[in-house]
Amino acid sequence: MTTITPEISQFQPTRTTSLTFTGVLRSEWIKLRSLRSTAWSYALVVTISIGMALIMSLAMASGLEGGPDIAGAPVDQQAQFVVDASVFGVYFGQLVAGVLGVLVISGEYTTGMIRSTLAAVPTRRPALAAKAAVLFVATFVVGAIATFGAFLVSSLVFAGIDVSANLAEPGVILPILGAALYLAIVAVFALGVGAMLRSSAGGIAAVLGLILLAPTVLQMIPADWAHDLLPYMFSIAGMGIFTSTTAGPTADAFGVWLNLVIVLGWVAASVTGAAALLTRRDA
Amino acid sequence: MITAAGLSKRYGAKTAVDGLDFTVHPGRVTGFLGPNGAGKSTTMRMIVGLDRPSAGSVTVNGKPYAHHRAPLHEVGALLDAKAVHTGRTAENHLRAMAATHGIGERRVREVIELTGLESVARKRVGGFSLGMGQRLGIAAALLGDPATLILDEPVNGLDPEGVLWVRRLVRSLAAEGRTIFLSSHLMSEMAQTADHLIVLGKGRIITDAPVADVIAGNTGTRVRVRSPHASQLADLLAGPDVSVMRSEAGLLEITGVEASGIGDLAAEHSLAIHELTTLNASLEEAYMALTADAVEYRTEALR
């Protein structure tokens, strides 16, 4: 059989733009802010953080339930109470950040969007990296708004009993920023888990299970190894970033920086696992 | 230009695509036909790197898709009308896709207008009909003004006006020298749209030829006979190269004998004939003949 090739010159593309990482970052930013689940999640993080700070600081300032005598405590310890009340909401906010992190990628798998994403970025890893970067920055900014807002509310309440904390003090500003950082880290860790499991339900169950359940289970196991393992758990080390009172490791605590290293190890495992599977699997 | 060499895809023990060698040339519409499960969609996904071939390779304009600096300018693909997040508006979906390649807001507006999505562009995709979803998929494929277009079942779910629109669109894009690779289940649609056909069955290429050749080469002429003595006539005609089909009482469809032969035979035996018509072959019939042995999911003919 003969093949007839019409005498038409091949189409020459006139476009001059090309695929860049900056472009992929912009694309992921458009994607993140154009979903209602993002707005809801972030609004919830801020609301929980400020609401919890209000409840906690009111309870602490009124000395209810046999709490510590804050106004009578030494001045250098008073600031710690304000900080504790300010970061309390993160215990709940981390669950929201985890759910959001999973949804950012599992939503693409369940709707089929991932095929559009990977057709536009066929090398794949830049798409995951851009997602992680955008999610990290956005969650950190929202987390900072949440924790600074919580600090403001707590400070107002504690001012009623003449207790105050100075944001310029490293012991105050670092936990406030550390709590926001932890929220951003949870989101990126959850993104990796969601990318590996490719399912909203599975990803959320895995992330919440690890944050909430794993430490509880370890505490119930009556063995030394379980006790030794506990501080290495994602959420235990993660909350150590902003609740640890020492910068360096001591006999009974890892300290801020070692906790941060442990948590970043979890994130590295999650994200590299996701990257490896993303390039190997069919979309 | 799309070039496949020994392209294969296996899922476990099942071979979905089995050693395809083909070239899709620019400047014409190449139709991709085959029964369900023949491997059309898998082949198209491998072209844009979504599925990794088990063996062989496929290139677009000389390079694997993923090696191009601007993939969306090389290939626009509609692989699945549902490859869109349902919670996002059509406009934001297109913006996000365009942003990866630095394609501006103007082009986003252009493809929205071109595909007639202006009135729904700010609505979330979850509420779209199948037809609107197809239009959005085509809009996304056109974003990069690509030299090659891959469209998997583009007219699926479109109304007649939409079907006509797609036909004109792909014809005009091919006339500009672009490579168009189009799959469809609608044979009549393909006959009007495609210049060239690649027919797939059970993961293998059955035919790779111009549409006219496919029609001419794969259908025996059929003759319709209406007679009150239909069964008698059928017995007389029976032979190794002749097939006789009874569709209703008194009506026969015969392949393997010319109309003149049937008329002579009837006259010889003094059997009355009320109708004797030679039926022209269509692409549909050519396709059925070609893929008869390669159908994965067959529906038994109604008796």
Side-chain angles (χ1 to χ4, degrees), chain B residues 247-263:
Chain B
S247 44
E248 57 182 86
L251 193 66
L252 302 175
E253 279 194 10
I254 296 148
T255 331
V257 194
E258 300 265 315
S260 55
I262 298 168

Side-chain angles (χ1 to χ4, degrees), chain A residues 64-277:
Chain A
L64 284 176
E65 292 164 31
D69 178 15
I70 295 164
V75 175
D76 60 331
Q77 285 176 27
Q78 287 183 356
Q80 187 60 40
F81 292 113
V82 183
V83 171
D84 286 349
S86 304
V87 299
F88 184 65
V90 174
Y91 289 87
F92 304 92
Q94 63 176 340
L95 307 181
V96 182
V99 169
L100 177 67
V102 170
L103 286 180
V104 159
I105 185 81
S106 69
E108 293 215 2
Y109 279 103
T110 53
T111 57
M113 177 69 199
I114 192 74
R115 289 192 287 278
S116 293
T117 301
L118 297 184
V121 190
T123 44
R124 298 191 178 185
R125 283 181 192 196
L128 182 69
K131 252 188 205 320
V134 165
L135 184 66
F136 180 86
V137 172
T139 311
F140 180 74
V141 169
V142 171
I145 292 169
T147 51
F148 277 106
F151 176 78
L152 191 68
V153 168
S154 307
S155 296
L156 287 173
V157 173
F158 278 108
I161 56 165
D162 283 332
V163 169
S164 67
N166 184 359
L167 261 185
E169 294 282 331
V172 177
I173 186 81
L174 286 181
I176 300 286
L177 286 175
L181 177 68
Y182 174 59
L183 287 174
I185 287 173
V186 170
V188 173
F189 173 76
L191 172 76
V193 175
M196 286 190 277
L197 297 180
R198 300 191 287 189
S199 137
S200 301
I204 290 170
V207 168
L208 297 194
L210 191 78
I211 289 177
L212 292 176
L213 221 56
T216 315
V217 169
L218 278 184
Q219 272 167 339
M220 290 192 309
I221 298 174
D224 280 349
W225 63 262
H227 182 259
D228 293 343
L229 217 55
L230 193 61
Y232 294 96
M233 285 292 100
F234 179 77
S235 51
I236 302 290
M239 286 186 280
I241 296 171
F242 56 93
T243 54
S244 212
T245 50
T246 57
T250 60
D252 56 345
F254 279 150
V256 173
W257 301 111
L258 195 50
N259 278 316
L260 186 59
V261 168
I262 292 167
V263 173
L264 290 180
W266 280 93
V267 173
S270 157
V271 172
T272 50
L277 287 175

